[in-house]
Amino acid sequence: MSGSLLVIGGAHIDRRGRIAGATAMGASNPGRWFEEPGGGGFNAARNLTRLGHEVRLIAPRGGDAAGMAVSAEALRVGIDDCPIVFLDRATPSYTAILEADGNLVIALADMELYDLFGPRRTRTLSFRAALAEARHVLCDANLPAETLTALAAEAGTRGLPVFAIAISPAKVVRLLPSLAGLEMLFMNAAEAEALTGARPDDPAGWPALLRVKGLKGGVVTCGAGTVVAFDETGTASLSPPRLETVVDVTGAGDAFASGVISARIEGLGLGEALRHGAALAAITLRSPHATAENLSRDLANSYMPLVPDAEILS
């Protein structure tokens, strides 16, 4: 592998209710309930660990059973877990309602604890020691804007590439002050629009809009539609493989980011990195979990023939 990856961001409880039949809005729907540790940063950390990368996680959580469940899952998959525990607080949670086909109806994010992870945390000796041992950094927009800005600045002084996950349209704007310090930002079209205030007629127009905001590298997904990516050397697009069955959409975006990050830190070009991201997303869409339990490098490689070549746009 290409050195350790430090992940700083969301690690909480995901709760998902899946409707059994046709969705009836404003009414009680039969279905089933499922709960597991999740979060943008945590999902990516699990994926990257399963791909064989050395991952350290720094994430705030509460001093409750939910926090202990997150810690136990990190230990189970081999993540070097370094939590910031607030003993008198509840661990954040994400609660989603899914249609029978796995698509999201609505979700509620109870994430106030993350606001306590202020920028002073980036100045502690333990945090600086973790940065000193890292080769790459991944953060997500669950953290406060001031913390993300301080993190990007500190990583920049050390020459560390910083990847970021947008999380949601409401949260991605927290990254606006630190866009210039990011190596690559992973977002969907709604999150990209929240950053730019505009939406191009053609997905190929995203790089120009995002570069104006100071971003030097990014990936914009659009569900099953065309994915567009750019870096300082060019742009590329990809049509993800069509899947006959989607079990659960939860974690697919985090998986896409994980595949691209893994490929990029191993030196692959933009087009091939997109293909790796699409392969991991496909694996996750076929799993009932936010990260596929059977994910491995061999499984990811076995999906690569299903993914078309990326188109280099410039």
Side-chain angles (χ1 to χ4, degrees), residues 146-273:
E146 297 83 0
T147 305
L148 292 165
T149 301
L151 172 60
E154 183 63 27
T157 63
R158 299 171 183 269
L160 297 176
V162 179
F163 301 94
I165 297 174
I167 299 297
S168 71
K171 290 183 177 180
V172 69
V173 293
R174 299 176 180 180
L175 288 162
L176 275 169
S178 53
L179 288 181
L182 301 181
E183 182 79 8
M184 187 164 279
L185 172 61
F186 298 89
M187 66 207 111
N188 60 32
E191 292 156 354
E193 184 175 5
L195 279 182
T196 63
R199 185 182 290 243
D201 295 330
D202 186 328
W206 280 123
L209 290 175
L210 290 162
R211 283 178 172 135
V212 167
K213 292 294 182 178
L215 189 62
K216 60 185 178 183
V219 176
V220 183
T221 59
C222 188
T226 300
V227 181
V228 175
F230 66 99
D231 59 15
E232 293 181 293
T233 64
T235 62
S237 68
L238 177 79
S239 296
R242 298 291 177 180
L243 301 179
E244 293 183 3
T245 302
V246 173
V247 176
D248 193 332
V249 299
T250 307
D254 302 328
F256 204 111
S258 304
V260 173
I261 292 169
S262 178
R264 292 296 276 180
I265 65 180
E266 291 174 5
L268 296 186
L270 191 60
E272 277 303 292

Side-chain angles (χ1 to χ4, degrees), residues 288-302:
H289 300 279
T291 65
E293 286 288 307
N294 62 338
L295 178 61
S296 66
R297 189 166 289 266
D298 286 343
L299 179 62
N301 288 337
S302 75

Side-chain angles (χ1 to χ4, degrees), residues 42-57:
F42 192 61
N43 289 339
R46 282 190 289 185
N47 288 328
L48 288 159
T49 299
R50 287 174 171 141
L51 291 177
H53 295 278
E54 180 185 346
V55 178
R56 175 174 290 174
L57 173 69

Side-chain angles (χ1 to χ4, degrees), residues 33-80:
W33 199 252
F34 179 75
E35 182 175 302
E36 66 177 338
F42 192 61
N43 289 339
R46 282 190 289 185
N47 288 328
L48 288 159
T49 299
R50 287 174 171 141
L51 291 177
H53 295 278
E54 180 185 346
V55 178
R56 175 174 290 174
L57 173 69
I58 296 178
R61 68 198 64 151
D64 53 10
M68 293 175 64
V70 173
S71 296
E73 174 66 4
L75 177 64
R76 184 181 74 86
V77 300
I79 296 169
D80 180 9

Side-chain angles (χ1 to χ4, degrees), residues 15-34:
R15 301 184 179 98
R16 301 195 295 282
R18 185 158 184 162
I19 297 170
T23 303
M25 299 301 294
S28 176
N29 289 262
R32 300 187 68 178
W33 199 252
F34 179 75

